[in-house]
Amino acid sequence: MALKHAVGRKAFETAFNAVYKYINKDREKNMVKLLNLAHKATGDSFPEFFWDNAINMLSDPEQKWTKVIYNAFENLNPNVVKMHVLNLAYEAGLTGFKEVRANREKYQCNVPWIILMDPTSACNLKCTGCWAAEYGHKMQRTYEQLDDVICQAKELGIHFFIMTGGEPLTRKADIVKLAEKHNDCAFHIFTNGTLIDEQLCKDTVRLGNISYALSVEGYEETNDDRRGDGVFQKVMNAMDLMKSYGLVYGVSICYTSKNYKVVTSDEFLDMLIDKGCIMAWFFHYMPVGNDASVDLMLTPEQREYMIHRVREIRAMEGGKPLFCMDFQNDAEWVGGCIAGGKNYLHINANGDVEPCVFIHYSNANIDDMSLLECLQSPLFMAYHNTMPFNDNPFRPCPMLENPEYIKKMVEESGAHSTDFTSPEAVDDLVAKTIPYAETWKPTADRMWEERQAEKAEALAAREAKYGPSK
C-alpha cells in the first residue's frame, strides 16, 4: 500500500510539475489541467458539480477567487506553492482524506483529518490572563514524542498537523526538523509572530510545507494592551518579512464582545491583505478556565452580526480576497462540531489527548496509549456516538450551545480536567455556558429557518442546471 501510494504521489508530482512550469503562460488552460489531475486522484469523492463549478470559476479571470489563485502563483515562492499542492491538497485533502474515511469505517470510531499538537506550554510573552506567562516553562513534548504521533497519524491517512501552544516557535528547530523528515505532510503554525526571523523564512522556502497563522486582536493599542508594548509592530514586521520570501500565512483572531467589529472592519482586513495575508481564522471567545470572563462572550445580536459579516467578507461580489473561516458559525459546511476526532483533535504539552482545543478534559494520554486507542477511548467514543449535538448548525458545540452534552460525556467517560494551573470542574464550566445557550437559541433557530429556505432555493437552481445530485 505504501509503495502504491508513493508511486501515485510521484506520478501526480510529475504531472503537476509539467503543468506548473507553464502556468503563467496560459493560466486558464493550465488551471483546468490541474483540476483534472485532482479529479483523477480523488475519483468520485466529490460530486461532479464541484468540479464543474471550479472549472467555471477559473475560466473567469475577473472572478474574486480566480484572482486570488493567480496572485498566489505570481507572489508566492514556487517551492512553497508546489509543496502545498502536493502535501495540503494531494496528500491531506485528496488521497489522505479518502484513507481517513476508510479507517473510520474500519475501526468504527472517529479518525481526524487534522491533529493539533502543543510542542511546548512555554511562551516568550507574558500576556494578561494567560497561564503560560507563569507556568509555561514546565511542559515540553520531545522531538521523538512529536515524531511518533506523526508516524502513527500517517498510518491512518492523516497528513495535516497544526502546531499550537504555548508559543510553538520557541521550538522552531524541532518543527523545522519534523517538516523536513515528514516532507509528505503539511504543517500549520499558530504563533504570536514575534519569533519569526530570516532563517526561519529561508527554512520555510527550502521545505515548502510550512504555513503560519499569526495572532492579532485588533490594532496596536488593543493588541499591545494585552500582549505587551511593541508586539503589534513585531507582528507587522514579521508579515513584511514573510511577504518578501513568498510564504503562505494569515491571521488567527479571537473575537469577543469588545473587538468583533474592529477585527472584521474593512480597514482592518484591508491592512492584513496589504501585508500579504491570504487567510483569516476567526474563533468565538470561549469562557474556559476558572478565571474566564463571561463579559467577553457575544450577545445574540453581536453573534448574528459576525455570521453575516464573515459571509460578506467571503462573498464573490464585493467580498475581500481573503479566505475566512469562522469556526463557531461555519458548522453548516462541515457537518456540525468538528472536534472529538471527527475532523480534528488536540494533544497538549502534557500528552493529554483532548477532543477540542477549547475543551480541556481527557481520559487518554498519548504517552500511555496509541493514537488509535485514544480515538477509541470513552470520551472520544462519546463524541462519535452522540454527534451531531444539534440539528441546527448555528448551535454545534457541546460546550457553548449544548452544555448538557459536555457535562454528560465528561461524567460518563470519567474524563478529568487537563488545565495545568487550576483544574475546572465541568459543573463550573457549564454554569457559564448554560445562560449563553438559552439566550442564543431563539436567534439561532430563526436564522437556521431562514438559511434552509435559502438552501432550498439554491439547490433547485443547481439541479435545474446540472440535474439531481448523486
Side-chain angles (χ1 to χ4, degrees):
M1 178 65 73
L3 178 60
K4 181 178 179 181
H5 181 83
V7 171
R9 176 189 166 98
K10 187 62 179 177
F12 183 88
E13 180 178 1
T14 300
F16 171 79
N17 287 340
V19 176
Y20 184 47
K21 182 178 180 181
Y22 301 103
I23 193 72
N24 287 321
K25 291 187 177 181
D26 190 339
R27 287 174 173 171
E28 181 181 332
K29 177 181 178 181
N30 287 314
M31 284 303 303
V32 170
K33 286 184 178 180
L34 290 179
L35 283 173
N36 288 333
L37 282 175
H39 192 177
K40 183 177 180 181
T42 56
D44 60 358
S45 295
F46 299 92
E48 286 301 314
F49 70 79
F50 171 87
W51 301 105
D52 290 339
N53 287 346
I55 289 173
N56 288 337
M57 179 190 77
L58 292 172
S59 298
D60 181 3
E62 297 304 313
Q63 207 269 3
K64 184 182 83 170
W65 295 116
T66 305
K67 290 181 178 179
V68 169
I69 293 170
Y70 288 173
N71 285 338
F73 282 128
E74 287 184 2
N75 299 320
L76 296 180
N77 180 275
N79 191 52
V80 170
V81 172
K82 172 185 172 181
M83 294 305 292
H84 274 74
V85 169
L86 289 176
N87 293 351
L88 187 57
Y90 179 80
E91 290 284 2
L94 300 179
T95 59
F97 189 56
K98 288 173 65 176
E99 189 176 352
V100 161
R101 292 198 300 181
N103 280 320
R104 290 171 182 171
E105 292 295 321
K106 178 179 179 180
Y107 296 112
Q108 290 297 294
C109 66
N110 286 335
V111 177
W113 181 59
I114 304 168
I115 290 181
L116 276 64
M117 294 193 291
D118 297 351
T120 178
S121 59
C123 185
N124 61 312
L125 299 182
K126 294 182 180 293
C127 301
T128 302
C130 179
W131 58 265
E134 298 298 331
Y135 300 94
H137 62 282
K138 291 188 175 181
M139 296 184 184
Q140 304 279 343
R141 296 271 89 196
T142 66
Y143 169 84
E144 289 75 19
Q145 288 170 325
L146 296 168
D147 176 60
D148 182 62
V149 171
I150 296 172
C151 289
Q152 290 187 59
K154 287 163 66 173
E155 290 296 317
L156 294 172
I158 306 163
H159 288 79
F160 190 16
F161 301 92
I162 296 178
M163 299 296 183
T164 52
E167 171 48 53
L169 290 184
T170 61
R171 297 284 303 283
K172 68 175 75 173
D174 281 334
I175 290 175
V176 168
K177 187 177 177 182
L178 288 167
E180 186 164 23
K181 176 180 178 181
H182 299 283
N183 61 0
D184 57 346
C185 295
F187 294 85
H188 191 54
I189 317 300
F190 277 77
T191 172
N192 62 42
T194 62
L195 298 179
I196 293 170
D197 56 22
E198 195 140 9
Q199 183 57 54
L200 181 61
C201 290
K202 290 178 179 178
D203 286 333
T204 303
V205 166
R206 174 174 59 86
L207 297 171
N209 59 342
I210 305 175
S211 58
Y212 301 87
L214 286 69
S215 297
V216 291
E217 296 174 4
Y219 290 109
E220 186 167 9
E221 182 178 356
T222 301
N223 198 81
D224 288 2
D225 182 59
R226 178 168 180 261
R227 294 179 174 268
D229 291 343
V231 171
F232 180 82
Q233 192 55 53
K234 287 181 180 179
V235 173
M236 295 299 104
N237 293 341
M239 289 183 182
D240 291 339
L241 182 63
M242 298 167 83
K243 185 177 182 179
S244 72
Y245 276 90
L247 307 187
V248 173
Y249 59 94
V251 290
S252 168
I253 299 172
C254 176
Y255 59 88
T256 72
S257 61
K258 308 298 183 185
N259 74 347
Y260 73 102
K261 281 197 173 180
V262 171
V263 297
T264 56
S265 67
D266 285 335
E267 295 79 11
F268 186 73
L269 296 174
D270 288 343
M271 176 197 71
L272 296 177
I273 293 165
D274 288 343
K275 286 288 182 180
C277 293
I278 63 174
M279 69 193 88
W281 310 135
F282 288 101
F283 297 94
H284 187 294
Y285 171 77
M286 297 290 190
V288 176
N290 287 317
D291 297 327
S293 170
V294 295
D295 293 338
L296 293 175
M297 299 175 74
L298 279 71
T299 66
E301 294 76 17
Q302 291 169 339
R303 182 165 174 183
E304 183 172 2
Y305 175 90
M306 277 297 300
I307 291 172
H308 291 304
R309 178 57 182 150
V310 171
R311 283 159 175 72
E312 288 176 356
I313 296 167
R314 285 195 299 240
M316 296 288 191
E317 299 293 333
K320 302 290 183 184
L322 189 71
F323 179 78
C324 299
M325 281 289 291
D326 182 341
F327 286 90
Q328 202 63 27
N329 297 322
D330 284 344
E332 173 185 353
W333 290 283
V334 291
C337 173
I338 62 173
K342 178 182 176 182
N343 277 329
Y344 93 97
L345 59 77
H346 176 239
I347 303 174
N348 70 20
N350 192 47
D352 299 309
V353 184
E354 300 170 336
C356 175
V357 71
F358 297 113
I359 298 181
H360 298 163
Y361 298 95
S362 177
N363 59 9
N365 191 288
I366 198 66
D367 295 337
D368 305 320
M369 306 165 68
S370 70
L371 178 59
L372 181 58
E373 288 171 336
C374 292
L375 290 165
Q376 294 172 332
S377 68
L379 182 57
F380 277 84
M381 290 307 298
Y383 268 77
H384 174 270
N385 296 333
T386 309
M387 289 175 153
F389 301 107
N390 201 299
D391 291 333
N392 183 342
F394 291 127
R395 299 170 57 206
C397 179
M399 176 184 72
L400 192 64
E401 295 106 356
N402 308 279
E404 66 276 12
Y405 281 111
I406 192 60
K407 175 178 168 62
K408 183 175 186 288
M409 292 190 297
V410 166
E411 291 179 346
E412 291 186 355
S413 67
H416 64 276
S417 173
T418 57
D419 190 293
F420 301 149
T421 59
S422 180
E424 182 175 32
V426 70
D427 284 335
D428 294 336
L429 173 63
V430 301
K432 292 177 287 189
T433 60
I434 288 173
Y436 178 97
E438 292 173 346
T439 303
W440 170 240
K441 182 180 183 300
T443 301
D445 289 347
R446 187 245 315 154
M447 291 189 71
W448 183 231
E449 289 180 6
E450 295 170 351
R451 179 64 183 136
Q452 284 179 300
E454 293 174 4
K455 289 174 67 178
E457 184 178 345
L459 178 62
R462 189 175 70 205
E463 291 189 341
K465 183 174 183 179
Y466 297 106
S469 300
K470 296 181 180 180

